Amino acid sequence: MTIEIDSGSGFCFGVTTAIKKAEEELAKGSTLYCLGDIVHNSMECERLKQMGLVTIDHEQMAALHDVKVLLRAHGEPPATYELARCNNIEIIDATCPVVLQLQKRIKKQYEAHHPSCVPSVASEQSSSAPIPHHQIVIFGKKGHAEVLGLVGQTEGTAIVVENLDDVKRLDFTRDIYLYSQTTKSLDEFRRIIEYIGQHIVPTATFKSFDTICRSVANRMEGIAQFAARHDVILFVCGRKSSNGRVLFSECQRVNANSHLIEGPEEIQPEWLHGQDTIGICGATSTPKWLMEQCRDALSRY
């Protein structure tokens, strides 16, 4: 049985940087809090926990004062920075540069139009707030940490769409400015652009901004080629990973014998019977050491 680990899988730059910053702070011996899981991989989170990293949520952060809090690669809305200022919390900012640049672009777009509004039919007949000329739309997963940070740049007014059904509910008589979560599928994003372009009225403006991270998007083609040349694929990934779901779906598309596992203990012997080549790959949140553990575990079968 031949086993190969995909050389293109593993942490992306943003995750690598966040983990490096955490390790550097923990090496100083001081207490370090992390707002949310530093990476969507339970085993890597456990490793850092053993080093002293304390994972908290926003409610827990609100109760902290005079401490250090690391912001992971996904980024945070402005309200988090304001909370830190009020509570004298030192921020260790590990926001991915690609995400940070996207936040700035969305904020600039929002400030350029706000509060330009036109009255709606409803507002002419009641005291309802006027409807703005523009819609800032984000293609992404609702509730995802990165998306919450992006929506926060617009004071909560941006519209999040997950699929074409969501897109169909947009107001095509008003201007639309479309952005994307950095780890979404480029093909899906293009389909959404095409749909909006076909339905927007001539008097409205439609602009789309390709904000998908190429270091992630370029993995699609590579992982498809990798999955196609093996009999069985073990895709190692935390089940919370948005990027992982996209990449695993691509594996399944080209190789029906693809299996998502979080660690070596989930490998099923029946997947391997009669197979000659096993490919091991993962998401941008999958550490190399975990894929190597899965490779080593295969020696038992």
Side-chain angles (χ1 to χ4, degrees), residues 139-152:
F139 170 48
K141 181 183 177 184
K142 295 171 185 175
H144 187 278
E146 180 188 326
V147 174
L148 293 175
L150 300 178
V151 172

Side-chain angles (χ1 to χ4, degrees), residues 9 58 67 113 121 141 169 260 277 283 291:
S9 291
H58 289 83
V67 297
H113 291 84
V121 173
K141 181 183 177 184
R169 291 192 283 270
L260 190 150
T277 64
M291 289 185 282

Side-chain angles (χ1 to χ4, degrees), residues 164 167 178 186-199 206-210:
L164 270 179
V167 174
L178 177 68
L186 188 56
D187 287 341
E188 286 184 83
F189 187 58
R190 287 170 176 161
R191 284 192 288 271
I192 287 173
I193 291 172
E194 182 180 7
Y195 185 90
I196 295 175
Q198 291 172 346
H199 291 81
F206 171 46
K207 291 184 179 181
S208 62
F209 305 91
D210 182 354

Side-chain angles (χ1 to χ4, degrees), residues 101-123:
Q101 183 62 28
L102 174 54
Q103 287 183 346
K104 290 177 180 177
R105 290 180 67 174
I106 290 176
K107 183 176 182 180
K108 184 177 180 181
Q109 183 77 63
Y110 175 71
E111 291 178 341
H113 291 84
H114 186 77
S116 176
C117 296
V118 292
S120 65
V121 173
S123 66

Side-chain angles (χ1 to χ4, degrees), residues 187-255:
D187 287 341
E188 286 184 83
F189 187 58
R190 287 170 176 161
R191 284 192 288 271
I192 287 173
I193 291 172
E194 182 180 7
Y195 185 90
I196 295 175
Q198 291 172 346
H199 291 81
I200 193 88
V201 301
T203 54
T205 297
F206 171 46
K207 291 184 179 181
S208 62
F209 305 91
D210 182 354
T211 54
I212 293 173
C213 177
R214 283 304 182 269
S215 71
V216 174
N218 291 342
R219 291 192 180 188
M220 290 288 282
E221 182 178 355
I223 211 160
Q225 293 173 352
F226 180 81
R229 68 172 182 261
H230 291 288
D231 296 324
V232 177
I233 289 295
L234 301 180
F235 189 87
V236 189
C237 173
R239 289 184 171 84
K240 291 182 181 179
S241 173
S242 217
N243 161 255
R245 280 191 290 273
V246 172
L247 291 175
F248 178 60
S249 293
E250 184 66 5
C251 287
Q252 285 185 309
R253 185 183 69 80
V254 299
N255 187 333

Side-chain angles (χ1 to χ4, degrees), residues 39-278:
V39 62
H40 287 153
N41 185 280
S42 59
M43 297 181 120
E44 180 66 7
C45 288
E46 181 60 29
R47 183 184 75 85
L48 291 168
K49 179 182 177 181
Q50 294 302 318
M51 294 178 63
L53 186 65
V54 181
T55 301
I56 57 172
D57 58 26
H58 289 83
E59 185 177 347
Q60 290 169 319
M61 180 175 170
L64 295 175
H65 295 78
D66 310 310
V67 297
K68 291 183 179 181
V69 174
L70 183 139
L71 303 185
R72 55 195 176 164
H74 301 87
E76 284 290 321
T80 300
Y81 293 87
E82 178 60 20
L83 172 62
R85 187 190 67 80
C86 293
N87 287 11
N88 195 36
I89 292 173
E90 180 182 344
I91 291 293
I92 309 298
D93 201 338
T95 303
C96 173
V98 178
V99 174
L100 191 60
Q101 183 62 28
L102 174 54
Q103 287 183 346
K104 290 177 180 177
R105 290 180 67 174
I106 290 176
K107 183 176 182 180
K108 184 177 180 181
Q109 183 77 63
Y110 175 71
E111 291 178 341
H113 291 84
H114 186 77
S116 176
C117 296
V118 292
S120 65
V121 173
S123 66
E124 290 174 353
Q125 299 173 352
S126 67
S127 58
S128 300
I131 297 177
H133 278 294
H134 70 289
Q135 301 164 93
I136 293 179
V137 180
I138 299 168
F139 170 48
K141 181 183 177 184
K142 295 171 185 175
H144 187 278
E146 180 188 326
V147 174
L148 293 175
L150 300 178
V151 172
Q153 308 305 315
T154 68
E155 298 184 295
T157 62
I159 302 167
V160 179
V161 296
E162 293 189 338
N163 48 49
L164 270 179
D165 285 338
D166 289 342
V167 174
K168 292 173 183 178
R169 291 192 283 270
L170 295 175
D171 185 347
F172 296 104
T173 66
R174 294 160 55 209
D175 297 348
I176 295 175
Y177 298 88
L178 177 68
Y179 298 84
S180 175
Q181 179 182 339
T182 60
T183 54
K184 295 298 285 182
S185 163
L186 188 56
D187 287 341
E188 286 184 83
F189 187 58
R190 287 170 176 161
R191 284 192 288 271
I192 287 173
I193 291 172
E194 182 180 7
Y195 185 90
I196 295 175
Q198 291 172 346
H199 291 81
I200 193 88
V201 301
T203 54
T205 297
F206 171 46
K207 291 184 179 181
S208 62
F209 305 91
D210 182 354
T211 54
I212 293 173
C213 177
R214 283 304 182 269
S215 71
V216 174
N218 291 342
R219 291 192 180 188
M220 290 288 282
E221 182 178 355
I223 211 160
Q225 293 173 352
F226 180 81
R229 68 172 182 261
H230 291 288
D231 296 324
V232 177
I233 289 295
L234 301 180
F235 189 87
V236 189
C237 173
R239 289 184 171 84
K240 291 182 181 179
S241 173
S242 217
N243 161 255
R245 280 191 290 273
V246 172
L247 291 175
F248 178 60
S249 293
E250 184 66 5
C251 287
Q252 285 185 309
R253 185 183 69 80
V254 299
N255 187 333
N257 289 327
S258 296
H259 307 278
L260 190 150
I261 59 173
E262 290 201 336
E265 69 283 350
E266 295 185 9
I267 298 173
Q268 301 297 315
E270 57 268 25
W271 298 341
L272 314 175
H273 292 163
Q275 308 298 339
D276 294 323
T277 64
I278 311 297

